[in-house]
Amino acid sequence: VEKRKRREGVLDFDDLLIKTRSLLEDRAVLRSLRRRYTHILVDEFQDTDSLQAEIIMLLSGMAGGEGSSREEASGAGSPGRRTPGGGSAPGNLFIVGDPKQSIYRFRNADVEIYEKVKMSFGGDESRLKITQNFRSVPGITQWVNGTFSKIMTGPEEGLFQTRYEPIHARREGEGAAVVSLRFERDGEKVNEVRRAESEAVAGYIRGLVAGGREIMDPVSRQMRPVMFGDVAVIYRGTTGIDYYEDAFRHAAIPYIVEGGKLYYTRQEVRDLSAALWAIEDPGDSAALVASLRSGLFGFSDEELFLFKMDGGSFDYIEPRVPGGGGYSDIAEAFALLRELHFSRNTLGPAGTFKRLLRMTRYLELSVTRPHGAQRVRNIRKAVGNAREFSARLHSYRYFARWFRDQE
């Protein structure tokens, strides 16, 4: 691997760090860089590994090269040794970090490095602890403090785990913020537990809305009764999520599934995926047939079979439609796809998508099908994706391929 990198003249991420550290061994280079970078601010320092920390300490003029708070800020310039090659003025290094986040071990980050660097700054006068929480109500912070202060106690020896620092809520709020739902279940099988749990969650959500509990509106900042749209249900994984959907539908709770791959397996989303790609690639007959069979155009397998047997071709650019007038609907579908194909780069992802929906009346038809409200939300989410791609000036092909490959 190393020989190939040298031969092709490329470096990976670790190479960049190693070579930077080696470059700083040249005192003339180090002095020049210190003169250029008189002040250094490092955010998310808990994600720093030993080599990165050493580079930062060398550039700042701090001693050594060991690298480093819950959100905590430290300013260098307090007592400490200076590395050879020219010192730096006190206060030239400012570090922000949250050691609790070091559990993710991002790029080999080590909380011990963080703690050692923090200690090298000197006493508490050079460290500022930021403990205010602007997002959570007191009930949440109280529960978090009570729970994690018993878990994150810090080791008797060493620095391999940080000690928990309590946080304090800036917002106001009353009532229990963390609850444990208890529910009856018919058995111990996984599916039985999921069904009972989903019904309990649906009942709790309906109770929240019906009970008139108030929350702060994120836009007006005024208190108002909670609505269904204020609730998010977070799952560990999408396995068994259909139990929750069934429970929400039974309880008349409107919802939309966000994130993960499950959304892209929905039939209405797969229909759109096939049609969008068929518009991009006229030669993909599988995508074309899938879109013709979908709710967008609604042709049956029998109709498509007879069309083919009568001499028709699945090519909307130069279509071969059997005479006799029996296939005029297919001819109209081909004409729409042909129009969208030639206009796709002018209309862009969002424009092409919206014209497809408008000409096929797919949104209106989806409302009449089972779980119509959910289908419409899923389609609108797909339109939202197209708008995002258009806003970023991505091509239609880029969007259609991305949408197709999500499943």
Side-chain angles (χ1 to χ4, degrees):
V1 175
E2 295 301 319
K3 289 181 180 179
R4 181 178 177 183
K5 287 194 293 185
R6 285 195 297 270
R7 185 173 64 251
E8 297 183 7
V10 296
L11 298 173
D12 61 24
F13 184 78
D14 290 332
D15 292 332
L16 294 173
L17 293 175
I18 294 169
K19 290 187 178 296
T20 298
R21 174 61 183 86
S22 299
L23 183 64
L24 296 180
E25 293 176 358
D26 186 316
R27 295 192 178 189
V29 172
L30 185 56
R31 280 195 297 268
S32 175
L33 291 173
R34 284 179 180 172
R35 284 193 296 268
R36 177 183 298 183
Y37 303 110
T38 57
H39 294 80
I40 300 174
L41 166 63
V42 185
D43 196 8
E44 303 291 358
F45 196 71
Q46 75 279 347
D47 293 334
T48 304
D49 63 28
S50 59
L51 190 53
Q52 292 170 322
E54 186 176 1
I55 292 170
I56 292 167
M57 302 300 276
L58 284 169
L59 287 173
S60 67
M62 295 292 288
E66 293 176 310
S68 58
S69 122
R70 164 217 74 114
E71 199 75 14
E72 194 163 25
S74 301
S78 42
R81 302 189 308 264
R82 301 291 180 180
T83 56
S88 297
N92 71 318
L93 176 60
F94 191 86
I95 287 174
V96 182
D98 182 354
K100 294 193 297 295
Q101 296 183 34
S102 64
I103 59 173
Y104 301 114
R105 294 302 301 273
F106 179 77
R107 286 195 179 277
N108 299 316
D110 190 338
V111 71
E112 290 192 55
I113 296 170
Y114 175 91
E115 294 293 342
K116 289 176 181 178
V117 168
K118 185 176 72 173
M119 291 169 60
S120 72
F121 280 88
D124 290 339
E125 70 279 0
S126 64
R127 296 198 294 270
L128 173 65
K129 296 179 179 179
I130 305 173
T131 62
Q132 278 194 332
N133 183 304
F134 291 89
R135 297 178 180 176
S136 304
V137 294
I140 292 179
T141 57
Q142 291 166 8
W143 183 86
V144 170
N145 289 337
T147 300
F148 288 94
S149 61
K150 300 174 184 177
I151 299 172
M152 301 179 67
T153 57
E156 295 183 4
E157 297 181 3
L159 302 170
F160 58 86
Q161 178 173 305
T162 187
R163 188 180 300 276
Y164 183 78
E165 292 283 352
I167 53 179
H168 309 286
R170 178 65 179 256
R171 289 177 54 186
E172 297 179 354
E174 297 180 357
V178 179
V179 299
S180 177
L181 294 179
R182 300 184 182 277
F183 50 87
E184 298 291 333
R185 54 192 185 216
D186 297 330
E188 298 299 324
K189 294 182 178 180
V190 172
N191 291 343
E192 293 169 338
V193 174
R194 284 175 176 154
R195 182 178 293 106
E197 181 184 67
S198 64
E199 292 172 354
V201 170
Y204 180 75
I205 293 173
R206 282 215 64 88
L208 279 178
V209 175
R213 180 167 179 172
E214 291 195 332
I215 63 168
M216 180 185 290
D217 188 275
V219 177
S220 68
R221 313 301 292 175
Q222 300 297 316
M223 300 300 291
R224 61 164 174 78
V226 67
M227 300 184 295
F228 287 122
D230 300 313
V231 181
V233 181
I234 303 174
Y235 305 91
R236 175 176 294 182
T238 55
T239 301
I241 200 173
D242 49 315
Y243 287 97
Y244 299 88
E245 293 190 71
D246 289 341
F248 290 166
R249 285 193 290 264
H250 182 73
I253 298 175
Y255 70 93
I256 185 170
V257 178
E258 297 278 3
K261 297 292 185 180
L262 189 63
Y263 165 80
Y264 294 96
T265 66
R266 305 279 175 175
Q267 187 59 56
E268 61 273 15
V269 179
R270 295 174 67 181
D271 290 349
L272 293 170
S273 175
L276 292 170
W277 186 250
I279 291 169
E280 170 59 31
D281 185 0
D284 192 331
S285 57
L288 174 58
V289 171
S291 63
L292 292 173
R293 295 177 64 248
S294 73
L296 284 156
F297 297 104
F299 296 108
S300 68
D301 290 342
E302 182 180 6
E303 288 175 297
L304 296 177
F305 174 76
L306 292 174
F307 171 79
K308 182 66 175 178
M309 294 303 294
D310 286 346
S313 66
F314 292 115
D315 178 359
Y316 64 77
I317 299 296
E318 297 180 357
R320 187 170 65 251
V321 179
Y327 299 109
S328 58
D329 289 345
I330 294 181
E332 290 178 7
F334 282 176
L336 174 60
L337 292 170
R338 183 167 58 253
E339 174 203 327
L340 293 174
H341 172 74
F342 287 116
S343 64
R344 71 195 189 287
N345 292 325
T346 303
L347 296 175
T352 304
F353 207 146
K354 288 188 287 187
R355 180 156 180 76
L356 172 67
L357 294 177
R358 184 166 59 250
M359 298 303 294
T360 59
R361 303 289 184 185
Y362 191 50
L363 265 177
E364 293 85 343
L365 292 171
S366 297
V367 174
T368 65
R369 303 188 65 188
H371 314 311
Q374 174 65 36
R375 290 176 182 272
V376 170
R377 292 189 190 94
N378 290 337
I379 294 169
R380 285 178 173 165
K381 177 183 175 181
V383 174
N385 289 333
R387 287 199 187 101
E388 291 179 9
F389 276 74
S390 290
R392 297 172 189 165
L393 303 180
H394 288 308
S395 68
Y396 178 84
R397 181 179 180 83
Y398 186 91
F399 168 71
R401 182 171 54 211
W402 173 86
F403 199 83
R404 178 199 65 184
D405 293 343
Q406 294 307 299
E407 186 179 338

